[in-house]
Amino acid sequence: MAPARVAFGATPPGGRHQRPGRAGSAASARLGLMWRLLFVLLLGVVGRSALAAEGQRTPVPVIEKATAGTTCVADPATMRRTHMDLLKHQRNDTVRGGVRTGVASLKACINCHASQQTHSVTQGETNFCVSCHSYAAVQIDCFECHSSKPSGAAHTAAVPAVQTVGAK
Amino acid sequence: MSGTPDTKTPATPARRGFLGVAAAGLGGVFIAPGIQLMEVAQAATPSAGANPQVRWGMLVDTSKCAEGCSDCVSACNKENGLNPQVSATSAQWIRKIEIKQISTGRTASAPVMCQHCAEPPCVDVCPTGASFKRADGIVLVDRHACIGCRYCMMACPYKARSFVHEELQEQVADVPRGKGCVESCTLCVHRIDQGDKTTACAQACTQGAILFGDLNDASSDIAKRLREVQTTQLRADLKLDPGVRYHGL
Amino acid sequence: MRTDHTQFWLMAALGALLTGVGLGAAHYMELHGHVVTGMNNQIVWGLPHVFAIFMVVAASGVLNVASIGSVFGQGVYKPRAPLSGLLSIALLAGGLMVLMLDLGRPDRIIVAATHYNFKSVFAWNVILYSGMTGIIAVYLWTMFERKLNPYSKVAGLAALVWRFVLTTGTGSIFAFLTARQAYGSALLAPLFIVLSFGWGLAVFLIVQATMYKWTGLKLDEAIQRRMARLLGVFIAASLYLVAVYHLTNLYFARQGAFEAFILRDGGLYPQLFWLGYVVLGALLPLALLFHPKCTGARWTFAASVLVVLGAFAWLYVFIIGGQAFPLEIFPGSVVSSSFGDGVVAAYSPSLPELLLGIGGLGAAYLITVVGIRALDFMPQDDFALGAKH
């Protein structure tokens, strides 16, 4: 009876035997847990953001103010939660349908929220989109294609700079 | 060794069980989100925006096209924020082609851009439906869906599409374009949608060689002109029915 | 046993290194954009696609070995079926890896997986390729799991049908292109199917010969001769279809300039076609496989390697040569422009492209090595011929 052929030191048929007396896995698991806890604590200490506002227990990103005298599409809390959905659902209407008058216009957002210093929403660390997104570690894909600068040209007059709340 | 002739011993039950659970879990992880998210891409979404009664088109009178003149190209570059520096990888939405007929020696000059076909092969081949024809006949690339596979570039008989080979910085706000996506002439859709009556190239041509308008409106300038003069479509044999017609070729 | 163990880890390390290099090249391409490659607006599909399409077509063809066993009942091929299935999955994974990483936006794979334009062959291919992996997995399962062995014939049949559709889909990528003179032919789908037979069997023979050598075994002469002759038949059939494709093109006046370019005037392309594919990739292997003096396993191995090299040559001419020839927008005229109209497009492959392609091969190799180590893929000739599968 010829022995079974196996390639590259594979487990022979019948299985390999467990070596008795191997150090218990329970002990090494406890040790691993300790290191993990230490690591997390260390992270918490080191991870204090440079952008943390003064006197806050939890560091929050610095949010630059938008153009004075304007109101956003909805209140800040709602916008924080839903701005991505508003933009995403609007964009198909705009691109595929040619509807240019929707409420959630990215260009309008940028027109209001562009920084006074850098004239952009992504250039500086504290600029509007970047400060929250880098804090939340959510990569923004929009500005690979979209300009991050406000557009003051004449033929964008159809997009109002000021949106009123509850326009939808 | 035992006396069994067959060496294929089944794997231990624990290992099998693990493999089975892992396979089921992986399968579930892959399939479950797809069931919610999967949608069939549509070629054109009817909406209040683009008017399906309209078909935007162009008439290019090549008898007015001067050899060496590229005003239309410069205007397009400026309007859309394209890099005017020509290279193997630069995006060119419109280009001037100098033509010399072999048998007769007759020369002509013509600007060639996306022909906005009624049966666009680029739309047929796009796997995600990013390349689409709008209700008013303009063929566009939805860069939200474009994965940069360049299949549409292989399919276009007019070589109208360009691929963005590097990161872009100073995009025009009305014309979002970015690295890794494919693009082509949009018939200045950002202007047309705001009520503009013409495209940048048509406006820039001092000879009036390019006429833009609604092909479906019998009273439009372009429709009237098309009834008067002889015009052809490029590669008409392919039966793609382009929206751009040429006179003088 | 000890040397086996070391050998496995060394081989796996090599595979991981090659794959890593490929991934690194892909990252470099994604970071800087395709400007760092040789591809441009005239040649939009380059060296990565040559590698990827070879792997995908060979993946389909390598499953042939299993089909001949399960579906057509040829006993000699049955013990080879599991290895054939593993190679198919490995090559498919490698090819898809290269294709997906070469995308302009590889981060948008999710979009590709959730938005389908079913008029596009590419969209169908997304489903066909991923489904192929699933079907082969099930097929392998029916072969390994004793209780499911009776179902392996049905699973094999399903795999056979699926991969015919898949290879038709691959050929149709080019067949459905109306624009270019190199493509748009209904012949391309069957051509790709026949090419897959040859390329897949060649890859299988290379892997099988290597595995046997490394485990110190010798493949039975009769089996080796039989598979060698089969490879010869497949190469001849491929050569026939390629000849028909070109002969038909030569008959049409409007295709004349293109054929002159590919077959005579195009510089690198005719060289690759005639020398690389016809001589080295078809005629020489045929001689090595059928000549009465060349009956040894070494000749079969050499022929298989030549077939693979010839495949790359043919694909290079087909994919890149087909794009290099200028589009005829104004038939009967000589044209020039700033966008390369009227001139043959230049293309020189760049290092990142080559590394990405090699990375795909490395991934296929790694999957094969790990698979062989983990599960029982060695063809067990002495036992399987009599056993019920």
Side-chain angles (χ1 to χ4, degrees):
Chain A
M1 183 55 55
R5 296 189 192 109
V6 287
F8 309 131
T11 306
R16 241 190 268 277
H17 294 295
Q18 188 86 20
R19 275 186 289 160
R22 178 147 168 71
S25 50
S28 46
R30 253 178 280 136
L31 195 64
L33 181 61
M34 205 179 77
W35 282 115
R36 266 173 270 167
L37 271 173
L38 254 176
F39 177 63
V40 166
L41 281 170
L42 210 64
L43 258 187
V45 167
V46 166
R48 269 187 196 281
S49 171
L51 300 177
E54 287 299 336
Q56 295 272 11
R57 198 150 60 101
T58 314
V60 294
V62 171
I63 302 174
E64 293 187 18
K65 289 263 177 228
T67 311
T70 58
T71 343
C72 192
V73 172
D75 62 280
T78 312
M79 286 307 282
R80 268 183 216 131
R81 278 196 317 277
T82 62
H83 70 277
M84 61 292 272
D85 297 317
L86 289 173
L87 286 169
K88 189 171 174 185
H89 290 128
Q90 167 101 13
R91 70 185 190 185
N92 277 344
D93 287 343
T94 305
V95 173
R96 307 192 93 100
V99 176
R100 302 275 177 176
T101 50
V103 153
S105 157
L106 184 65
K107 246 188 351 195
C109 306
I110 297 169
N111 282 346
C112 272
H113 284 289
S115 155
Q116 305 295 333
Q117 287 80 41
T118 63
H119 301 289
S120 159
V121 291
T122 57
Q123 214 118 49
E125 222 180 34
T126 58
N127 286 175
F128 185 70
C129 301
V130 155
S131 61
C132 278
H133 270 266
S134 60
Y135 170 75
V138 176
Q139 189 179 14
I140 329 175
D141 200 28
C142 321
F143 299 103
E144 294 236 12
C145 287
H146 285 275
S147 167
S148 65
K149 307 225 158 84
S151 51
H155 56 243
T156 61
V159 178
V162 176
Q163 307 273 5
T164 51
V165 175
K168 204 155 178 245
Chain B
M1 285 291 296
S2 67
T4 42
D6 194 344
T7 54
K8 283 202 196 290
T9 315
T12 60
R15 182 167 155 191
R16 266 185 178 176
F18 168 72
L19 281 173
V21 168
L26 267 178
V29 162
F30 285 142
I31 294 172
I35 291 174
Q36 294 167 328
L37 295 173
M38 203 171 300
E39 44 190 88
V40 176
Q42 296 185 310
T45 315
S47 74
N51 185 355
Q53 315 286 355
V54 166
R55 187 183 174 190
W56 296 116
M58 264 189 191
L59 169 57
V60 179
D61 188 347
T62 63
S63 61
K64 296 185 183 151
C65 263
E67 183 188 328
C69 171
S70 58
D71 286 349
C72 49
V73 178
S74 314
C76 176
N77 290 342
K78 186 150 175 289
E79 177 72 25
N80 297 299
L82 307 181
N83 185 354
Q85 179 75 31
V86 166
S87 73
T89 54
S90 66
Q92 296 186 40
W93 292 14
I94 181 174
R95 74 238 190 224
K96 280 296 291 297
I97 300 189
E98 310 298 333
I99 307 159
K100 180 169 176 191
Q101 209 168 37
I102 300 173
S103 44
T104 60
R106 178 177 181 270
T107 56
S109 185
V112 173
M113 70 298 281
C114 169
Q115 302 285 290
H116 298 280
C117 310
E119 309 273 349
C122 62
V123 171
D124 284 344
V125 301
C126 178
T128 58
S131 176
F132 70 103
K133 188 179 70 164
R134 224 166 66 151
D136 53 3
I138 304 182
V139 177
L140 297 167
V141 176
D142 178 359
R143 288 172 188 73
H144 303 126
C146 178
I147 57 174
C149 72
R150 288 105 69 203
Y151 196 15
C152 59
M153 295 176 74
M154 290 288 269
C156 179
Y158 310 105
K159 214 170 51 171
R161 288 257 161 108
S162 297
F163 180 64
V164 180
H165 288 77
E166 48 201 330
E167 201 155 305
L168 300 176
Q169 303 295 346
E170 301 288 327
Q171 290 98 326
V172 171
D174 287 319
V175 186
R177 45 190 293 265
K179 167 173 75 91
C181 285
V182 176
E183 53 185 20
S184 60
C185 159
T186 58
L187 281 185
C188 284
V189 69
H190 55 284
R191 287 170 58 144
I192 302 302
D193 282 355
Q194 309 292 7
D196 239 337
K197 291 284 181 268
T198 189
T199 60
C201 54
Q203 197 172 34
C205 181
T206 49
Q207 308 303 313
I210 303 180
L211 183 58
F212 172 85
D214 179 6
L215 297 172
N216 284 351
D217 177 7
S219 59
S220 68
D221 287 341
I222 188 173
K224 282 192 239 166
R225 192 96 181 101
L226 286 173
R227 280 196 292 273
E228 290 163 13
V229 299
Q230 183 269 346
T231 56
T232 53
Q233 294 164 321
L234 297 182
R235 291 304 306 270
D237 60 307
L238 296 176
K239 296 277 201 317
L240 303 174
D241 189 16
V244 179
R245 301 186 79 99
Y246 291 80
H247 167 71
L249 284 179
Chain C
M1 212 51 139
R2 207 198 185 109
T3 27
D4 274 347
H5 209 65
T6 323
Q7 189 181 47
F8 164 71
W9 283 110
L10 278 173
M11 288 177 57
L14 175 65
L17 177 68
L18 289 175
T19 312
V21 160
L23 292 175
H27 175 71
Y28 180 65
M29 277 165 57
E30 189 186 349
L31 199 61
H32 297 278
H34 275 60
V35 70
V36 300
T37 70
M39 292 181 263
N40 49 42
N41 280 325
Q42 320 302 330
I43 307 279
V44 304
W45 285 352
L47 202 58
H49 293 83
V50 172
F51 277 85
I53 295 190
F54 170 74
M55 280 191 267
V56 163
V57 172
S60 155
V62 83
L63 203 55
N64 224 5
V65 175
S67 302
I68 301 177
S70 297
V71 179
F72 300 107
Q74 298 290 324
V76 156
Y77 291 91
K78 279 193 183 144
R80 290 165 170 72
L83 179 61
S84 144
L86 172 68
L87 280 173
S88 187
I89 291 182
L91 282 167
L92 205 57
L96 287 178
M97 174 186 130
V98 173
L99 268 177
M100 291 198 285
L101 290 176
D102 175 72
L103 288 175
R105 303 221 48 166
D107 50 310
R108 293 256 175 95
I109 301 282
I110 293 290
V111 174
T114 50
H115 291 65
Y116 292 96
N117 168 24
F118 282 119
K119 240 189 150 185
S120 164
V121 159
F122 260 23
W124 280 108
N125 282 347
V126 171
I127 298 175
L128 284 171
Y129 291 170
S130 41
M132 179 98 246
T133 313
I135 287 191
I136 298 177
V138 170
Y139 183 34
L140 284 174
W141 188 24
T142 62
M143 287 192 277
F144 281 131
E145 169 88 54
R146 199 95 49 85
K147 276 181 282 190
L148 294 179
N149 280 342
Y151 297 107
S152 72
K153 184 154 181 175
V154 172
L157 186 64
L160 177 77
V161 171
W162 193 276
R163 82 175 168 78
F164 258 78
V165 179
L166 182 147
T167 319
T168 305
T170 310
S172 298
I173 292 173
F174 300 98
F176 289 172
L177 293 179
T178 182
R180 295 179 189 259
Q181 290 177 289
Y183 313 132
S185 163
L187 188 61
L188 291 177
L191 170 61
F192 268 69
I193 289 195
V194 176
L195 285 172
S196 79
F197 292 164
W199 299 350
L201 186 55
V203 169
F204 184 85
L205 288 175
I206 291 173
V207 173
Q208 180 180 251
T210 316
M211 278 178 64
Y212 270 76
K213 181 128 192 292
W214 274 337
T215 48
L217 300 162
K218 195 176 178 320
L219 179 58
D220 178 42
E221 274 267 346
I223 300 175
Q224 182 248 313
R225 287 301 315 138
R226 192 163 163 172
M227 296 184 92
R229 274 199 304 273
L230 187 61
L231 179 61
V233 169
F234 289 156
I235 298 171
S238 310
L239 193 58
Y240 161 72
L241 281 177
V242 170
V244 168
Y245 163 78
H246 282 289
L247 280 172
T248 313
N249 264 350
L250 281 166
Y251 212 88
F252 296 134
R254 63 182 152 86
Q255 296 286 70
F258 168 69
E259 284 296 315
F261 169 73
I262 290 286
L263 299 179
R264 191 187 63 202
D265 305 326
L268 175 66
Y269 303 108
Q271 286 166 8
L272 276 177
F273 178 77
W274 289 113
L275 201 59
Y277 171 68
V278 176
V279 173
L280 286 180
L283 295 178
L284 188 53
L286 278 175
L288 291 178
L289 291 167
F290 284 121
H291 197 279
K293 285 233 171 84
C294 306
T295 48
R298 277 209 188 138
W299 295 116
T300 310
F301 184 82
S304 305
V305 171
L306 284 173
V307 168
V308 170
L309 291 175
F312 275 87
W314 186 84
L315 277 172
Y316 193 94
V317 172
F318 182 70
I319 298 176
I320 297 173
Q323 295 173 74
F325 190 73
L327 280 168
E328 243 186 16
I329 306 176
F330 301 97
S333 302
V334 170
V335 296
S336 69
S337 78
S338 59
F339 204 45
D341 290 279
V343 294
V344 169
Y347 171 72
S348 50
S350 64
L351 188 62
E353 294 171 75
L354 179 65
L355 292 179
L356 177 59
I358 289 176
L361 288 175
Y365 166 77
L366 181 63
I367 293 175
T368 308
V369 164
V370 171
I372 293 174
R373 172 77 166 82
L375 294 171
D376 200 5
F377 283 107
M378 274 293 283
Q380 309 279 6
D381 287 310
D382 304 3
F383 310 106
L385 275 179
K388 290 194 175 50
H389 263 259

